[in-house]
Amino acid sequence: MKVTEHIQQSKGKTLFSFEIIPPQKGNNIEDLYTNIDPLMEFNPPFIDVTTSREEYIYIDKNGLLDRKITRMRPGTLGICAAVKHKYNVDTVPHVLCGGYTKEETEYLLVDCHYLGINNVMALRGDAMKHQKYFEPTKGGHTYANELVHQIANLNKGKYLHNVIETDNCTNFCVGVAGYPEKHIEAPSFQTDLRRLKEKVNAGADYVVTQMFFDNKKYFEFVNAARKEGITVPIIPGIKPLAVKRHLQILPQVFKIDLPEELIKAAENCKSNKEVRQVGIEWSIKQSKELLKAGVPVLHYYSMGKSDNIVAIAKKVF
Ligand SMILES: Cc1cc2nc3c(=O)[nH]c(=O)nc-3n(C[C@H](O)[C@H](O)[C@H](O)COP(=O)(O)OP(=O)(O)OC[C@H]3O[C@@H](n4cnc5c(N)ncnc54)[C@H](O)[C@@H]3O)c2cc1C
């Protein structure tokens, strides 16, 4: 079923969902299941699976460094199929512009279609680790709205280069990213919103937000989006603070602000175990307020370990 159909069927009741990251290659999928198992109690209608960009690694060959390109966390589609089959739940693979030609994207979407995966998150992806700015892959898309357009075309039965036009269309429900605190590269909040509108105009069915720690940011973002004419569901993304280092990492990587109260509470902790508890309590508070406001879904970033999400969901759902 489509994410938007799940939302419609819930008739105003807030749904629970989460995002998982494929394990580093060489690891076992059972570890992933160990983290998913306790979360199934909260009946997620869909689970997102991220996609990682390829990266350069350097291999020492008799004192000379050999540069190789590799994906450290492959397997998004395989995990989507396995999790869908094991738990009878919809899975949402993240599909990126970066690292893929349009043809490779088409093949990936065809695979999704054959596997009965009806939802995809369409994203540009970040710059590769060694790059300062995102550089589009040769033959790939530059911005997420172009990727959304390609998926929308497949939904109309139009394959690349018009080689095939068919009535046997795909039926993807497309999610896109939204930024309550503006995307780092956008010259202004308002311009970023216009870009979001372009993604929706291209065919996006719903938005999932970047993590935020102050609900006011989400509410303001939703209001501004509605004024811009964006009418699709806007799903808040929640990340519980888990270690003290997040105080530096999260603002740096995701360009988000942390509330003073949360920073002080985390700084006063003597161990990361205490920080994890602070993060849980903050997310519970955030989630309860969002739930009261009637958000369609509370979507949690699990980053591998799920014990904190379980603790939050127990208090919220
Ligand atoms: C919910 C969520 C899930 C994510 N999952 C992943 C994942 O699995 N893997 C991963 O690598 N990354 C993931 N990301 C990160 C995402 O790839 C980055 O934030 C990336 O930098 C932007 O992606 P986007 O799809 O928002 O890009 P876009 O919508 O293309 O926007 C990128 C920037 O370009 C601007 N822009 C857009 N269109 C135009 C235009 N036509 N002309 C000029 N400027 C334009 C926008 O304002 C923005 O500043 C995720 C982010 C979110 C919020």
Side-chain angles (χ1 to χ4, degrees), residues 110-131:
V110 168
D111 280 341
C112 289
H113 183 52
Y114 289 157
L115 286 164
I117 290 170
N118 295 321
N119 301 282
V120 289
M121 234 351 236
L123 300 145
R124 189 197 68 178
D126 282 319
M128 285 171 72
K129 278 185 186 155
H130 68 284
Q131 292 169 336

Side-chain angles (χ1 to χ4, degrees), residues 19 49-53 94 96-97 121-127 142-146 176-179 183-187 191-192 195 198-199 208-211 299 301:
E19 173 187 289
V49 184
T50 64
T51 294
S52 300
R53 284 287 319 252
H94 290 193
L96 303 182
C97 302
M121 234 351 236
L123 300 145
R124 189 197 68 178
D126 282 319
T142 306
Y143 294 109
N145 68 327
E146 299 165 14
V176 289
Y179 301 85
H183 184 260
I184 177 184
E185 294 160 37
T191 312
D192 205 25
R195 299 303 184 194
E198 282 169 14
K199 293 195 270 193
V208 182
T209 75
Q210 182 59 279
M211 64 182 74
H299 185 70
Y301 297 117

Side-chain angles (χ1 to χ4, degrees), residues 184-203:
I184 177 184
E185 294 160 37
S188 73
F189 178 79
Q190 208 54 41
T191 312
D192 205 25
L193 264 187
R194 274 197 288 114
R195 299 303 184 194
L196 181 60
K197 179 81 189 315
E198 282 169 14
K199 293 195 270 193
V200 175
N201 288 349

